[in-house]
Amino acid sequence: MNRGKIAQAHVGRASAIWHGEKVLRVAGARLLDDRDRGGVRAALEADPVAACMVAARVEVAGLDPWRLGGEIWAVGSRLDGLCFSGANLVPLRGQRSALRSFADRARRQGRSCSSLVGRAELVLPLWNELAPMWAPAREVRPDQPLMVLAGPPAVTPDPAVRAVRPGELDRYLPAAIAMFTEEVGIDPRGSDGGAGYRSRVGELVSVGRAFARFEDGEVVFKAEIGALSSQVGQIQGVWVHPERRGRGLGTAGTAAVAERLAALGRVSSLYVNGYNHVARAVYERIGFTQIGSFATVLF
Protein backbone atom coordinates (compact mmCIF):
# COMPACT_ATOMS: atom_id res chain seq x y z
CA MET A 1 0.00 0.00 0.00
CA ASN A 2 1.57 3.35 -0.99
CA ARG A 3 1.60 6.45 1.20
CA GLY A 4 -1.33 8.15 -0.53
CA LYS A 5 -3.51 5.08 -0.23
CA ILE A 6 -2.68 4.75 3.46
CA ALA A 7 -3.94 8.27 4.11
CA GLN A 8 -7.11 7.66 2.07
CA ALA A 9 -7.77 4.35 3.79
CA HIS A 10 -8.69 6.11 7.00
CA VAL A 11 -11.71 7.95 5.59
CA GLY A 12 -14.65 6.40 7.36
CA ARG A 13 -12.36 4.08 9.32
CA ALA A 14 -14.05 4.79 12.65
CA SER A 15 -17.36 3.38 11.46
CA ALA A 16 -15.67 0.36 9.88
CA ILE A 17 -14.00 -0.71 13.12
CA TRP A 18 -17.30 -1.78 14.58
CA HIS A 19 -18.31 -3.73 11.43
CA GLY A 20 -21.76 -2.14 11.56
CA GLU A 21 -24.23 -2.78 14.37
CA LYS A 22 -24.14 -6.57 14.14
CA VAL A 23 -23.35 -8.21 17.49
CA LEU A 24 -20.93 -11.13 17.46
CA ARG A 25 -21.42 -14.12 19.69
CA VAL A 26 -18.06 -14.77 21.31
CA ALA A 27 -16.79 -17.47 23.63
CA GLY A 28 -13.99 -15.32 25.01
CA ALA A 29 -10.63 -13.92 23.99
CA ARG A 30 -7.98 -16.48 23.12
CA LEU A 31 -4.21 -16.27 22.94
CA LEU A 32 -2.74 -16.40 19.43
CA ASP A 33 0.59 -17.92 18.39
CA ASP A 34 2.77 -17.96 15.28
CA ARG A 35 0.30 -20.15 13.43
CA ASP A 36 -1.93 -17.06 13.30
CA ARG A 37 0.82 -14.73 12.12
CA GLY A 38 -0.44 -14.32 8.54
CA GLY A 39 -3.95 -13.40 9.62
CA VAL A 40 -2.71 -10.96 12.23
CA ARG A 41 -0.36 -9.28 9.75
CA ALA A 42 -3.26 -8.84 7.31
CA ALA A 43 -5.47 -7.36 10.03
CA LEU A 44 -2.77 -4.90 11.12
CA GLU A 45 -2.08 -3.86 7.53
CA ALA A 46 -5.75 -2.93 7.17
CA ASP A 47 -5.19 -0.11 9.69
CA PRO A 48 -1.46 0.61 9.33
CA VAL A 49 -1.25 3.98 11.06
CA ALA A 50 -3.23 3.17 14.21
CA ALA A 51 -1.67 -0.30 14.44
CA CYS A 52 1.92 0.86 13.86
CA MET A 53 3.10 0.25 17.45
CA VAL A 54 1.97 -3.37 17.39
CA ALA A 55 2.74 -4.06 13.71
CA ALA A 56 6.37 -3.00 14.22
CA ARG A 57 6.74 -5.64 16.94
CA VAL A 58 4.89 -8.41 15.10
CA GLU A 59 6.90 -7.92 11.89
CA VAL A 60 10.14 -8.54 13.79
CA ALA A 61 9.15 -10.95 16.53
CA GLY A 62 6.08 -12.80 15.28
CA LEU A 63 3.48 -13.78 17.88
CA ASP A 64 5.64 -15.67 20.37
CA PRO A 65 4.93 -13.80 23.65
CA TRP A 66 8.52 -13.99 24.89
CA ARG A 67 9.96 -12.44 21.73
CA LEU A 68 7.01 -10.08 21.21
CA GLY A 69 7.09 -8.70 24.73
CA GLY A 70 3.38 -9.33 25.11
CA GLU A 71 0.42 -11.34 23.90
CA ILE A 72 -1.99 -11.00 20.99
CA TRP A 73 -5.57 -11.86 21.93
CA ALA A 74 -8.31 -12.56 19.40
CA VAL A 75 -12.05 -13.01 19.25
CA GLY A 76 -13.79 -14.80 16.38
CA SER A 77 -12.49 -17.33 13.89
CA ARG A 78 -11.75 -14.52 11.42
CA LEU A 79 -9.97 -12.37 14.01
CA ASP A 80 -12.95 -10.02 14.26
CA GLY A 81 -11.43 -8.72 17.48
CA LEU A 82 -7.72 -8.17 18.21
CA CYS A 83 -5.87 -6.78 21.21
CA PHE A 84 -2.21 -6.52 22.25
CA SER A 85 -1.42 -7.01 25.93
CA GLY A 86 2.06 -6.09 27.11
CA ALA A 87 3.58 -3.00 28.71
CA ASN A 88 0.58 -1.26 27.15
CA LEU A 89 -2.88 -2.68 26.52
CA VAL A 90 -3.76 -1.84 22.90
CA PRO A 91 -7.18 -2.77 21.46
CA LEU A 92 -6.83 -3.02 17.68
CA ARG A 93 -10.26 -3.94 16.37
CA GLY A 94 -13.58 -5.36 17.50
CA GLN A 95 -17.19 -4.82 18.40
CA ARG A 96 -18.34 -4.12 21.92
CA SER A 97 -18.79 -7.83 22.58
CA ALA A 98 -15.15 -8.44 21.64
CA LEU A 99 -14.05 -5.59 23.89
CA ARG A 100 -15.97 -7.16 26.76
CA SER A 101 -14.10 -10.41 26.12
CA PHE A 102 -10.78 -8.55 26.20
CA ALA A 103 -11.80 -6.86 29.45
CA ASP A 104 -12.71 -10.22 30.99
CA ARG A 105 -9.31 -11.68 30.09
CA ALA A 106 -7.48 -8.56 31.29
CA ARG A 107 -9.32 -8.66 34.63
CA ARG A 108 -8.45 -12.32 35.14
CA GLN A 109 -4.81 -11.68 34.28
CA GLY A 110 -4.55 -8.61 36.51
CA ARG A 111 -3.29 -5.19 35.50
CA SER A 112 0.37 -5.24 34.50
CA CYS A 113 0.27 -2.52 31.84
CA SER A 114 1.23 1.12 32.39
CA SER A 115 -1.39 2.45 29.99
CA LEU A 116 -4.36 1.62 27.80
CA VAL A 117 -3.90 3.25 24.39
CA GLY A 118 -5.27 3.11 20.86
CA ARG A 119 -8.17 4.34 18.79
CA ALA A 120 -10.55 6.26 21.04
CA GLU A 121 -13.58 4.35 19.76
CA LEU A 122 -11.97 1.16 21.10
CA VAL A 123 -10.09 2.38 24.17
CA LEU A 124 -12.94 4.26 25.85
CA PRO A 125 -15.48 1.40 25.74
CA LEU A 126 -12.80 -1.03 26.91
CA TRP A 127 -11.92 1.29 29.77
CA ASN A 128 -15.60 1.47 30.75
CA GLU A 129 -15.49 -2.31 31.15
CA LEU A 130 -12.22 -2.31 33.11
CA ALA A 131 -12.70 0.78 35.27
CA PRO A 132 -14.74 -0.90 38.03
CA MET A 133 -11.77 -3.21 38.72
CA TRP A 134 -8.80 -1.10 37.63
CA ALA A 135 -9.85 2.40 38.64
CA PRO A 136 -8.80 4.92 39.55
CA ALA A 137 -6.62 5.78 36.58
CA ARG A 138 -3.97 8.43 37.10
CA GLU A 139 -5.29 10.28 34.05
CA VAL A 140 -7.64 9.70 31.11
CA ARG A 141 -6.89 11.52 27.86
CA PRO A 142 -9.98 10.92 25.71
CA ASP A 143 -9.15 13.09 22.69
CA GLN A 144 -5.74 12.74 21.03
CA PRO A 145 -5.85 13.54 17.30
CA LEU A 146 -4.08 10.85 15.25
CA MET A 147 -2.22 12.65 12.49
CA VAL A 148 -0.44 11.50 9.35
CA LEU A 149 1.92 12.94 6.75
CA ALA A 150 1.97 10.85 3.57
CA GLY A 151 4.90 12.53 1.84
CA PRO A 152 7.63 15.14 2.40
CA PRO A 153 7.06 17.96 4.90
CA ALA A 154 5.59 21.27 3.76
CA VAL A 155 8.22 23.32 5.62
CA THR A 156 12.00 23.38 5.36
CA PRO A 157 13.56 20.78 7.68
CA ASP A 158 16.24 21.83 10.15
CA PRO A 159 19.57 20.63 8.67
CA ALA A 160 21.14 20.62 12.15
CA VAL A 161 18.80 17.88 13.40
CA ARG A 162 20.54 14.52 13.14
CA ALA A 163 20.57 11.04 14.63
CA VAL A 164 22.01 10.93 18.14
CA ARG A 165 25.27 8.99 18.34
CA PRO A 166 25.71 6.24 20.96
CA GLY A 167 28.45 8.22 22.67
CA GLU A 168 26.02 11.13 23.15
CA LEU A 169 23.50 9.22 25.26
CA ASP A 170 24.48 10.99 28.49
CA ARG A 171 23.92 14.37 26.86
CA TYR A 172 20.64 13.27 25.28
CA LEU A 173 19.15 11.54 28.31
CA PRO A 174 18.37 14.68 30.41
CA ALA A 175 16.25 16.06 27.55
CA ALA A 176 14.42 12.74 27.24
CA ILE A 177 13.71 12.73 30.99
CA ALA A 178 12.51 16.35 30.88
CA MET A 179 10.18 15.58 27.95
CA PHE A 180 8.69 12.50 29.63
CA THR A 181 8.17 14.28 32.94
CA GLU A 182 6.53 17.24 31.24
CA GLU A 183 4.29 15.12 29.00
CA VAL A 184 3.30 12.24 31.28
CA GLY A 185 3.54 13.97 34.64
CA ILE A 186 5.90 11.55 36.38
CA ASP A 187 9.66 11.06 36.50
CA PRO A 188 10.46 8.08 34.23
CA ARG A 189 13.46 7.00 36.27
CA GLY A 190 11.24 5.26 38.81
CA SER A 191 12.51 3.08 41.62
CA ASP A 192 15.50 1.61 39.77
CA GLY A 193 17.38 4.88 39.63
CA GLY A 194 16.69 5.31 35.94
CA ALA A 195 18.41 2.16 34.67
CA GLY A 196 15.33 0.87 32.85
CA TYR A 197 14.52 4.18 31.20
CA ARG A 198 18.14 4.72 30.23
CA SER A 199 18.14 1.28 28.59
CA ARG A 200 14.98 2.05 26.58
CA VAL A 201 16.31 5.40 25.39
CA GLY A 202 19.69 3.85 24.66
CA GLU A 203 18.05 1.24 22.45
CA LEU A 204 16.43 3.96 20.30
CA VAL A 205 19.79 5.74 20.07
CA SER A 206 21.60 2.53 19.10
CA VAL A 207 19.25 1.87 16.16
CA GLY A 208 19.37 5.46 14.90
CA ARG A 209 15.82 6.45 15.83
CA ALA A 210 16.59 9.26 18.29
CA PHE A 211 17.15 12.72 16.77
CA ALA A 212 18.35 15.99 18.22
CA ARG A 213 19.73 19.42 17.55
CA PHE A 214 22.72 20.12 19.79
CA GLU A 215 23.93 23.62 20.63
CA ASP A 216 27.07 24.02 22.76
CA GLY A 217 26.77 20.36 23.68
CA GLU A 218 23.18 20.71 24.94
CA VAL A 219 20.01 19.32 23.36
CA VAL A 220 17.66 22.13 22.28
CA PHE A 221 15.34 19.93 20.21
CA LYS A 222 14.62 16.21 20.35
CA ALA A 223 12.25 13.65 18.84
CA GLU A 224 12.21 9.92 18.28
CA ILE A 225 10.74 7.39 15.91
CA GLY A 226 9.14 5.29 18.61
CA ALA A 227 7.79 2.59 16.30
CA LEU A 228 8.80 1.73 12.75
CA SER A 229 6.75 -0.74 10.75
CA SER A 230 7.16 -1.64 7.09
CA GLN A 231 4.71 1.14 6.18
CA VAL A 232 4.63 3.73 8.97
CA GLY A 233 6.94 5.50 11.39
CA GLN A 234 5.43 6.90 14.57
CA ILE A 235 7.10 10.08 15.83
CA GLN A 236 7.13 10.57 19.60
CA GLY A 237 8.82 12.58 22.33
CA VAL A 238 8.93 15.89 20.48
CA TRP A 239 10.49 18.43 22.83
CA VAL A 240 12.10 21.87 22.68
CA HIS A 241 14.25 23.33 25.45
CA PRO A 242 12.06 25.76 27.45
CA GLU A 243 14.41 28.67 26.80
CA ARG A 244 14.25 28.11 23.03
CA ARG A 245 10.52 27.73 22.53
CA GLY A 246 8.62 29.96 20.14
CA ARG A 247 11.48 30.16 17.63
CA GLY A 248 10.41 27.48 15.18
CA LEU A 249 12.77 24.76 16.38
CA GLY A 250 9.90 22.32 16.96
CA THR A 251 8.45 22.87 13.50
CA ALA A 252 11.71 22.55 11.58
CA GLY A 253 12.98 19.76 13.81
CA THR A 254 9.88 17.59 13.46
CA ALA A 255 9.97 18.24 9.72
CA ALA A 256 13.52 16.87 9.67
CA VAL A 257 12.37 13.62 11.28
CA ALA A 258 9.41 13.37 8.88
CA GLU A 259 11.78 13.95 5.96
CA ARG A 260 13.93 11.06 7.20
CA LEU A 261 10.88 8.79 7.28
CA ALA A 262 9.82 9.86 3.78
CA ALA A 263 13.30 8.95 2.55
CA LEU A 264 12.79 5.50 4.06
CA GLY A 265 9.51 5.14 2.18
CA ARG A 266 7.41 5.39 5.36
CA VAL A 267 4.38 7.46 6.21
CA SER A 268 4.93 9.71 9.24
CA SER A 269 2.39 9.53 12.04
CA LEU A 270 1.94 10.89 15.54
CA TYR A 271 -0.77 11.59 18.06
CA VAL A 272 -1.11 14.67 20.23
CA ASN A 273 -3.28 15.76 23.13
CA GLY A 274 -6.37 17.54 21.84
CA TYR A 275 -5.87 20.44 24.25
CA ASN A 276 -2.33 21.10 22.98
CA HIS A 277 -3.35 23.63 20.36
CA VAL A 278 0.21 24.92 19.90
CA ALA A 279 1.57 21.48 18.99
CA ARG A 280 -1.39 20.75 16.73
CA ALA A 281 -0.78 23.98 14.83
CA VAL A 282 2.90 23.07 14.43
CA TYR A 283 2.08 19.66 12.98
CA GLU A 284 -0.51 21.13 10.62
CA ARG A 285 2.08 23.61 9.30
CA ILE A 286 4.38 20.69 8.57
CA GLY A 287 1.59 19.05 6.58
CA PHE A 288 0.11 16.53 9.02
CA THR A 289 -3.63 15.93 8.78
CA GLN A 290 -5.94 14.25 11.29
CA ILE A 291 -7.27 10.83 10.29
CA GLY A 292 -8.75 9.68 13.59
CA SER A 293 -8.50 10.03 17.36
CA PHE A 294 -6.56 8.09 19.97
CA ALA A 295 -7.28 7.90 23.68
CA THR A 296 -4.91 7.04 26.51
CA VAL A 297 -5.60 5.85 30.04
CA LEU A 298 -2.53 6.31 32.26
CA PHE A 299 -1.97 4.25 35.41
Side-chain angles (χ1 to χ4, degrees):
M1 184 181 289
N2 62 36
R3 294 194 293 256
K5 288 183 178 179
I6 287 178
Q8 295 170 8
H10 293 276
V11 177
R13 172 64 186 166
S15 61
I17 283 179
W18 295 100
H19 307 289
E21 297 299 323
K22 181 182 177 182
V23 177
L24 290 175
R25 295 183 181 273
V26 295
R30 69 185 190 280
L31 175 64
L32 299 184
D33 58 33
D34 263 335
R35 292 171 295 182
D36 304 290
R37 187 171 185 172
V40 171
R41 287 284 299 269
L44 298 178
E45 288 170 2
D47 192 18
V49 175
C52 175
M53 290 183 287
V54 178
R57 289 172 171 264
V58 170
E59 288 172 7
V60 173
L63 303 188
D64 175 74
W66 187 84
R67 296 184 62 229
L68 184 63
E71 299 178 345
I72 298 288
W73 302 340
V75 167
S77 60
R78 293 181 294 179
L79 308 185
D80 300 289
L82 278 179
C83 185
F84 172 79
S85 175
N88 305 300
L89 187 63
V90 187
L92 296 159
R93 64 192 296 184
Q95 297 179 354
R96 289 183 183 271
S97 53
L99 296 177
R100 284 193 291 270
S101 294
F102 296 144
D104 288 342
R105 184 166 185 128
R107 282 193 294 261
R108 292 195 303 270
Q109 179 173 287
R111 186 182 70 78
S112 58
C113 60
S114 61
S115 71
L116 171 57
V117 61
R119 283 190 175 271
E121 59 267 31
L122 298 174
V123 165
L124 298 178
L126 180 56
W127 174 235
N128 285 339
E129 297 286 339
L130 289 169
M133 294 294 293
W134 284 9
R138 184 165 56 82
E139 185 179 356
V140 178
R141 299 179 178 181
D143 176 27
Q144 298 175 301
L146 176 63
M147 308 184 78
V148 65
L149 175 62
V155 301
T156 302
D158 184 350
V161 170
R162 58 171 176 79
V164 179
R165 303 179 186 110
E168 296 172 321
L169 177 59
D170 286 332
R171 286 194 285 164
Y172 181 78
L173 192 60
I177 292 169
M179 177 282 305
F180 190 100
T181 304
E182 185 176 327
E183 171 64 21
V184 181
I186 59 174
D187 190 318
R189 287 170 288 190
S191 59
D192 66 355
Y197 186 68
R198 178 187 176 89
S199 177
R200 291 194 296 275
V201 174
E203 183 177 352
L204 288 173
V205 170
S206 68
V207 295
R209 289 178 13 210
F211 299 87
R213 176 186 175 116
F214 290 90
E215 291 184 1
D216 298 324
E218 184 178 25
V219 174
V220 296
F221 165 85
K222 69 162 288 292
E224 295 146 5
I225 301 172
L228 184 66
S229 74
S230 59
Q231 299 185 60
V232 180
Q234 185 179 86
I235 299 173
Q236 67 176 31
V238 177
W239 180 85
V240 176
H241 193 288
E243 295 180 1
R244 300 298 305 276
R245 292 175 185 175
R247 305 183 189 182
L249 289 179
T251 303
T254 305
V257 180
E259 182 183 53
R260 187 70 60 93
L261 283 168
L264 293 173
R266 303 313 204 274
V267 167
S268 294
S269 77
L270 52 82
Y271 60 99
V272 59
N273 291 317
Y275 55 77
N276 194 340
H277 300 292
V278 172
R280 291 176 67 178
V282 165
Y283 301 141
E284 288 168 359
R285 283 198 296 274
I286 295 169
F288 283 88
T289 57
Q290 182 175 353
I291 53 100
S293 292
F294 263 28
T296 302
V297 180
L298 297 169
F299 300 110

